[in-house]
Amino acid sequence: EEWAAQVHSQTQPLPWQSKTKGAKLLAHILSLEKSDGLSGFYFKIICVVDNHLQSHVQSSIKQREPAISQLITTYNNLCDELLGMIQLQKALPGAVPPLPIPTKGIFQLDVDSDI
């Protein structure tokens, strides 16, 4: 009996949480969209959020650009070093050197771009 009471008290939702509030809010938003034609309004909000996110990402990349460039330089130096080891036959037989990353245009890469 004590165990059941403890489980019951610990599994109660917190006072500021509600199991149905999210569903009610979603239903309210959908009803507003249907009745008032607010799809243009939502589209504007999504565009503003998307523009803010894009500018935030661009500023973050710009801030980290020197560190990224340094990492690319270090990586390319290691690629050259490995290529030299392969040519001097100091690497494992059949070793293939990785391709260096181009330093120009690295920040204009797309998801589908080959590096």
Side-chain angles (χ1 to χ4, degrees):
E1 187 177 318
E2 184 179 333
W3 176 261
Q6 183 178 4
V7 169
H8 179 72
S9 69
Q10 290 179 353
T11 56
Q12 293 295 316
L14 295 174
W16 59 83
Q17 292 180 337
S18 171
K19 292 182 179 180
T20 59
K21 193 173 237 177
K24 288 179 183 176
L25 185 60
L26 181 60
H28 179 68
I29 290 171
L30 291 175
S31 69
L32 284 176
E33 185 177 13
K34 289 177 184 175
S35 65
D36 296 338
L38 294 175
S39 59
F41 175 72
Y42 292 124
F43 178 74
K44 289 177 186 176
I45 289 175
I46 290 171
C47 288
V48 168
V49 170
D50 186 46
N51 288 340
H52 177 71
L53 180 63
Q54 187 175 4
S55 67
H56 179 70
V57 168
Q58 287 175 348
S59 67
S60 294
I61 289 173
K62 193 72 170 172
Q63 182 180 3
R64 290 164 180 83
E65 191 172 321
I68 294 170
S69 296
Q70 181 61 39
L71 284 172
I72 292 170
T73 303
T74 303
Y75 173 81
N76 288 341
N77 290 340
L78 289 172
C79 289
D80 292 340
E81 187 178 325
L82 185 57
L83 180 63
M85 291 174 68
I86 291 171
Q87 291 171 348
L88 295 174
Q89 297 180 347
K90 291 186 177 183
L92 293 173
V96 179
L99 297 173
I101 298 174
T103 53
K104 288 190 176 185
I106 190 69
F107 297 102
Q108 283 80 35
L109 289 178
D110 191 53
V111 174
D112 299 324
S113 298
D114 292 333
I115 323 183

